[in-house]
Amino acid sequence: MSESTVEADAAADREDGPAETLDVVVVGAGVTGIYQLYRARQSHLSAKLLEAGGGVGGVWYWNRYPEARFDSESYTYGYLFSKELWEEWEWSEQYAGQPEIERYFNHVVDRFGLRRDIVFDAPVTSAVFDETTGTWTVRAGNGTTLRTRFLVAATGNLSVPFIPPVAGREDFRGAQHHTSRWPSTPIDFTGKRVALVGTGSSGVQVVPAIAGEVASLTVYQQKADWVTPLHNRPVTPEEQQALKADFERIRDTLNTSPSGFLHTLNPVSGADVAPEERQKFYEKIWNSPGFTKLTEHYRDMTSNPEVNAEWCAFMADKIRGIVADPETARRLIPTDGGYGARRPPFGTGYYEAYNRPNVSLVALPEEPIVRITETGIETTAGLREFDIIIWGTGYDFGTGALNRLGVRGKRGLALEEYWADGPATYLGVAAVGFPNFFFPGGPHGATGNNPRYAGDQADFVHDALMRTRERGYEVIEVEESAEREWTDLMNDSSSLSIFQRASYFYGSNIPGKAVRQLLNPTGRWKLQQLIREAQGDDYPTFRFSKAGETPGAATTGGGSPAEA
């Protein structure tokens, strides 16, 4: 979003902006945005949701690649606000695939009558705050213009695809697809020579899904990751009944769990267990589903280098036992970090796929890409020709989508400039200089099961804007001291995070982007603690005012306009 475009939009807003002022505009129809719209409608607020895509689901609308699926248990990812919804929707698998996930979100918006307030194919191009009226004017690429008291950008962390700046990419005459912008029409891989660049969570799912169709599949790996089995399976009829019967307990557990899962934390320290018993435990964990490999592991697995190294040695032996070619196995074993140093992928048949004669692996640190040509990918070892290139190269995580909305706060402050050296936030939902603007599910949220901690934030945002209205105010803005303390806590607590600074959780995958903490290393418990404190003390970390008032006229915390 250029400065001239934003200024032109601001001028147009002053001249012929929309007559109606909505209470809330939500951006993004993913899991968080849909819930934020539901809360607004539940409170009888006038609201609209702007969605860049043609349907709901957010990341699960855009990511249609083969075998795209949850690695959180399906029923822990879905909504918890309605017992009836919980009981009527039956997930078919422990870790549902993309088509089923998309059906779920469509069912939710239709069941609760939310679709009529969603504007599709409406990518936000600018959002400008007017200090005299205390409102935001939001413009979308399809011509939609809305004025709103409160703006909630639920754009998510995994929204903006990243493709490395490789020379010659525009010269390739074949097809190119990023996993997060997959076409809705299925791609025919039959007999095709395919390159996959990237082996994160998406790439790990793609490889075994297409290996049996293609003439050849060449996987370009920048960094090896510790890929462990997902162990997906159907949800049995007995389990369906048990889930329905136990809704209240499950809801309460998920709403308070540090990880947002139903997993049982392991109180045992690996250092206190005999070596032979640890090996038995590692075998059990290897055969456990999904994220239990982190949440139910020894409690010191991520903090004790010796225990982590022993677990990694166990996994390395597993890889060597699965992959027939020793050289390929060597390349697939990480050497630059222990388990959990980067976001761990979970796969089904990933390592086994490399035993197929038509699947090969290129380790980019040993054989870097030089350029993309008209016919394929040239590395330092030569040219390989392809019909299709798949980019599984991740996202501009955390701030990527927010920085592209054209957000302009007080005195024209540009959000992308304010965050040029990394995000500054309060509780991962608000920033100084941007009144009435919130971004649940964005940077500095938490770690774990995304819908659970983002749901905490969405509830907090809704309660804060409702409190603003109830007290007769029009503007709410976070205090500088609160933002500073939270941002310092995020950056100073990086030692608590198991993720390497080379992880995209720090933004280091984006050329020129400031390498800063984009997650909340203190965890969900700290987020929930501070939310409770803020709500219990009547939001002392925010300033409330009437539109057009100078900052000195605003009240901090409690009070009302009459008392200000």
Side-chain angles (χ1 to χ4, degrees):
M1 173 58 57
S2 69
E3 198 66 40
S4 60
T5 301
V6 172
E7 290 173 356
D9 285 350
D13 295 339
R14 290 190 292 269
E15 295 172 5
D16 60 352
E20 178 189 9
T21 297
L22 297 166
D23 294 319
V24 184
V25 166
V26 180
V27 182
V31 62
T32 307
I34 292 171
Y35 180 55
Q36 197 80 64
L37 178 61
Y38 169 80
R39 289 300 314 270
R41 285 282 303 280
Q42 189 183 41
S43 296
H44 307 291
L45 302 180
S46 59
K48 289 289 183 184
L49 187 153
L50 298 176
E51 165 55 41
V56 299
V59 68
W60 300 110
Y61 169 82
W62 295 105
N63 285 255
R64 300 172 178 274
Y65 61 84
E67 271 302 298
R69 66 176 57 250
F70 284 150
D71 52 17
S72 299
E73 288 85 356
S74 304
Y75 39 85
T76 71
Y77 195 98
Y79 295 113
L80 303 173
F81 61 77
S82 167
K83 183 177 182 180
E84 292 73 22
L85 173 64
W86 176 273
E87 291 177 338
E88 71 193 18
W89 185 270
E90 293 190 352
W91 294 101
S92 66
E93 297 178 279
Q94 294 287 330
Y95 303 98
Q98 185 274 334
E100 183 175 5
I101 300 167
E102 189 179 10
R103 288 196 301 272
Y104 173 76
F105 286 117
N106 276 285
H107 173 74
V108 171
V109 298
D110 289 333
R111 190 194 190 287
F112 295 97
L114 303 178
R115 192 177 297 273
R116 65 177 179 268
D117 289 326
I118 302 176
V119 183
F120 294 107
D121 300 310
V124 170
T125 56
S126 73
V128 179
F129 184 68
D130 185 337
E131 294 181 60
T132 61
T133 62
T135 60
W136 288 87
T137 299
V138 186
R139 292 179 179 271
N142 68 344
T144 299
T145 300
L146 301 174
R147 179 171 290 153
T148 182
R149 177 68 59 197
F150 302 103
L151 175 60
V152 182
T155 50
N157 284 320
L158 304 176
S159 304
V160 178
F162 170 69
I163 297 180
V166 181
R169 193 169 67 84
E170 65 281 358
D171 297 330
F172 183 62
R173 293 201 301 253
Q176 298 186 64
H177 304 285
H178 193 284
T179 50
S180 75
R181 290 297 181 269
W182 205 261
S184 57
T185 303
I187 298 171
D188 183 6
F189 289 103
T190 306
K192 297 294 195 301
R193 300 165 300 173
V194 179
L196 168 65
V197 183
T199 55
S201 295
S202 299
V204 163
Q205 292 178 333
V206 168
V207 168
I210 68 173
E213 299 179 44
V214 300
S216 65
L217 174 60
T218 306
V219 181
Y220 291 82
Q221 172 189 272
Q222 183 63 44
K223 293 178 180 289
D225 278 311
W226 295 110
V227 182
T228 53
L230 180 63
H231 293 305
N232 189 28
R233 61 176 179 79
V235 180
T236 67
E238 294 75 20
E239 288 171 328
Q240 299 281 13
Q241 293 305 311
L243 287 169
K244 293 177 183 180
D246 208 13
F247 169 71
E248 284 80 8
R249 184 194 66 81
I250 292 172
R251 179 197 58 200
D252 294 345
T253 299
L254 292 174
N255 281 339
T256 56
S257 162
S259 64
F261 294 113
L262 291 177
H263 308 159
T264 303
L265 297 180
N266 187 350
V268 178
S269 170
D272 296 334
V273 179
E276 60 274 14
E277 291 302 315
R278 288 201 298 268
Q279 292 299 313
K280 293 178 183 178
F281 178 78
Y282 296 149
E283 185 68 35
K284 175 186 174 183
I285 283 291
W286 176 266
N287 290 299
S288 68
F291 271 103
T292 57
K293 296 177 184 66
L294 272 173
T295 58
E296 296 188 359
H297 212 295
Y298 289 130
R299 65 179 177 87
D300 60 344
M301 187 273 291
T302 59
S303 59
N304 186 323
E306 293 181 3
V307 173
N308 194 294
E310 189 178 65
W311 165 235
C312 290
F314 177 91
M315 291 186 289
D317 285 341
K318 286 289 188 182
I319 296 169
R320 296 186 191 99
I322 295 170
V323 180
D325 176 52
E327 183 61 18
T328 300
R330 178 189 69 80
R331 293 171 179 163
L332 288 167
I333 296 172
T335 58
D336 63 342
Y339 187 70
R342 290 187 293 275
R343 201 270 197 202
F346 303 98
T348 301
Y350 177 67
Y351 292 126
E352 290 83 350
Y354 291 98
N355 292 331
R356 302 181 67 96
N358 65 331
V359 179
S360 59
L361 179 68
V362 176
L364 291 175
E366 302 170 8
E367 188 183 325
I369 293 176
V370 176
R371 65 177 59 85
I372 308 296
T373 73
E374 292 183 349
T375 60
I377 298 178
E378 182 182 343
T379 68
T380 53
L383 174 66
R384 296 176 179 86
E385 296 191 334
F386 300 106
D387 303 301
I388 301 172
I389 298 176
I390 300 172
W391 297 94
T393 45
Y395 305 87
D396 186 350
F397 182 84
T399 57
L402 292 167
N403 280 342
R404 287 168 170 81
L405 295 179
V407 175
R408 299 294 181 265
K410 293 166 64 175
R411 295 176 292 281
L413 178 62
L415 182 64
E416 66 270 23
E417 294 177 5
Y418 187 60
W419 283 356
D421 293 326
T425 79
Y426 173 62
L427 301 185
V429 299
V432 171
F434 301 89
N436 294 1
F437 176 62
F438 303 94
F439 40 88
H444 296 167
T447 54
N449 194 8
N450 177 278
R452 303 285 69 88
Y453 75 76
D456 297 338
Q457 293 177 308
D459 285 333
F460 178 65
V461 166
H462 180 78
D463 293 344
L465 66 87
M466 290 299 295
R467 191 73 185 104
T468 306
R469 287 167 51 90
E470 290 164 0
R471 290 165 56 182
Y473 289 111
E474 296 166 318
V475 178
I476 177 173
E477 183 179 0
V478 67
E479 289 277 12
E480 291 184 20
S481 59
E483 179 193 77
R484 183 171 57 252
E485 290 174 11
W486 178 257
T487 302
D488 288 347
L489 179 64
M490 296 300 94
N491 292 324
D492 295 345
S493 300
S494 289
S495 61
L496 299 176
S497 174
I498 62 176
F499 296 114
Q500 292 177 329
R501 291 182 71 83
S503 163
Y504 68 78
F505 291 133
Y506 285 84
S508 58
N509 62 318
I510 307 297
K513 185 171 182 175
V515 179
R516 294 289 187 273
Q517 177 63 258
L518 298 174
L519 287 174
N520 168 9
T522 64
R524 187 188 186 193
W525 71 270
K526 187 66 172 180
L527 177 68
Q528 289 185 327
Q529 175 195 355
L530 293 182
I531 285 176
R532 287 192 299 269
E533 290 177 0
Q535 291 172 325
D537 293 338
D538 206 8
Y539 301 92
T541 47
F542 286 95
R543 298 170 61 81
F544 298 84
S545 65
K546 300 288 285 185
E549 286 183 341
T550 62
T555 183
T556 301
S560 66
E563 299 166 340

